[in-house]
Amino acid sequence: MKKALYQVPRNKQIRVIIDTDAYAEGDDQYAIAHALLTPKFDVVGIVAAHFGTQEYSDSMEKSYEEIGRILELMDIHDVPVYRGETAALKDEKTAGTSEGAKFIAEEALKDDDRPLFVLNMAAITNLASAYLMKPEIAANITAVWIGGGPYEKQFTDFNAGNDIEAANAVLGSEMELWQIPLNAYTMMEVSFHELFDKVQPYGKIGSYLVENLMRVNEIGCALNLDDLPFTKELSRGAKTMMIRSGEGWSLGDSPAVGVLVTMQDHDMEYRKAQRINLDGTYGDYFRENRVIRVYQGIDSRVILEDMFAKLKYHFG
């Protein structure tokens, strides 16, 4: 890649671990590429995450292969990739045994004065497993998690639903947690024409990002929505705008990168951490002094434009 246009001051540089279910949809790939092109970040490793077993019994392995594909397309060969847990945790107190979880724990215990952020763009299984292996890492990590439903509604989002035990293990820990729930991460709307104009022309990675999203879009648009509880009363016309519109997508994992590129604190609050119930609602508080950062909204424009500009600079 080209030399960065600017030098990020030393006291603003950070170590980053990306934790991603890269093959689950088509948006993780954008966030991975964006992170790898961001001068502030030293991406010290990428961990493959599972995304449930309903569609693939080897979903973590699919993610692992997809991460390798992204790195190859970007001609990046010095970022290590690790296999994470293959399924949800047994319970909130039992760690897994994956190399990815062990890597997170080892990196957190390194003697390095730069802050360590773990960008969790999936079920938060791998980070929870690392924490349960080595609880002392909580003091050395800031976790950014794309996950959890809105606080005002009963809704189990994809990431939380794939491992609620892990989510509660992290929510109840001493680890600094920045949560970006569904109502915020779905604000990353982008049109397909915009992607064809601002992503597709830029290198092998640009072509792949768009072509892969078109593949995933066909699958998403083919879903039968008639039996979903929240669509039963909708008209046929209204259903054309549910889940996928056919004209665009929500790059829902990109805020994990975006909140570290710009301040993004205009719609952020601190609140006492609550347990996530099986139905997706938020229940009991873990304890009085357990406070997390929650983003109730994000500025999608600056995140998207930053990604577009970096793709153009490096691959234009």
Side-chain angles (χ1 to χ4, degrees), residues 38-49:
T38 296
K40 179 177 181 174
F41 297 0
D42 177 8
V43 179
V44 294
I46 305 178
V47 181

Side-chain angles (χ1 to χ4, degrees), residues 7-304:
Q7 180 65 44
V8 176
R10 168 74 185 178
N11 67 323
K12 296 295 184 180
Q13 295 172 15
I14 60 176
R15 291 175 292 153
V16 168
I17 295 172
I18 302 170
D19 188 274
T20 168
D21 56 355
Y23 197 74
E25 281 195 17
D27 51 332
D28 287 75
Q29 294 87 339
Y30 286 81
I32 294 168
H34 192 179
L36 291 167
L37 297 176
T38 296
K40 179 177 181 174
F41 297 0
D42 177 8
V43 179
V44 294
I46 305 178
V47 181
H50 73 92
F51 49 95
T53 58
Q54 293 182 352
E55 188 173 359
Y56 299 103
S57 60
D58 60 344
S59 63
M60 183 281 296
E61 195 65 31
K62 293 282 188 185
S63 295
Y64 181 85
E65 294 169 358
E66 183 71 359
I67 294 165
R69 188 174 296 116
I70 295 298
L71 292 172
E72 184 66 30
L73 289 167
M74 296 181 72
D75 197 25
I76 293 174
H77 305 285
D78 57 352
V79 176
V81 183
Y82 301 89
R83 289 177 169 88
E85 307 297 340
T86 58
L89 294 184
K90 177 182 176 182
D91 54 49
E92 291 179 34
K93 299 183 182 299
T94 305
T97 60
S98 71
E99 63 175 11
K102 292 174 182 176
F103 161 69
I104 293 171
E106 290 168 2
E107 185 65 35
L109 295 174
K110 277 186 177 179
D111 184 15
D112 192 317
D113 64 348
R114 297 171 301 167
L116 175 63
F117 286 81
V118 182
L119 309 189
N120 302 273
M121 307 185 299
I124 202 164
T125 310
N126 296 321
L127 180 60
S129 183
Y131 166 70
L132 293 170
M133 288 176 184
K134 298 280 186 180
E136 60 268 32
I137 70 174
N140 302 333
I141 286 177
T142 299
V144 181
W145 182 41
I146 302 288
Y151 277 80
E152 300 78 15
K153 297 180 181 179
Q154 177 182 329
F155 193 92
T156 305
D157 90 304
F158 184 76
N159 289 346
N162 277 327
D163 197 344
I164 287 180
E165 302 282 6
N168 284 324
V170 174
L171 282 162
S173 74
E174 299 292 339
M175 196 181 312
E176 184 172 354
L177 175 62
W178 300 2
Q179 182 192 11
I180 307 172
L182 179 137
N183 52 293
Y185 70 70
T186 52
M187 296 176 71
M188 285 297 305
E189 297 285 349
V190 63
S191 77
F192 290 148
H193 268 76
E194 190 173 14
L195 296 179
F196 274 103
D197 179 47
K198 296 184 176 180
V199 174
Q200 195 273 339
Y202 300 113
K204 294 178 182 178
I205 185 61
S207 295
Y208 180 75
L209 290 173
V210 174
E211 290 167 6
N212 183 62
L213 190 58
M214 293 300 101
R215 175 189 67 83
V216 175
N217 179 63
E218 287 192 18
I219 298 171
C221 289
L223 293 174
N224 185 348
L225 307 180
D226 293 341
D227 296 327
L228 295 178
F230 56 92
T231 65
K232 283 185 176 180
E233 305 302 320
L234 295 179
S235 68
R236 290 177 62 191
K239 286 178 182 176
T240 69
M241 294 304 296
M242 288 301 298
I243 309 296
R244 305 301 177 201
S245 72
E247 280 280 354
W249 202 265
S250 176
L251 299 181
D253 291 312
S254 292
V257 177
V259 298
L260 298 175
V261 172
T262 59
M263 293 286 288
Q264 294 288 330
D265 60 358
H266 55 280
D267 203 4
M268 178 272 290
E269 63 180 351
Y270 290 96
R271 57 187 301 153
K272 289 191 291 184
Q274 293 172 261
R275 178 175 297 278
I276 299 179
N277 300 319
L278 290 177
D279 64 0
T281 58
Y282 293 85
D284 295 338
Y285 295 109
F286 284 95
R287 55 191 175 277
E288 184 65 28
N289 64 346
R290 173 52 172 161
V291 175
I292 63 173
R293 179 185 293 203
V294 178
Y295 291 86
Q296 299 291 7
I298 49 91
D299 183 349
S300 62
R301 184 206 64 80
V302 69
I303 299 172
L304 287 170

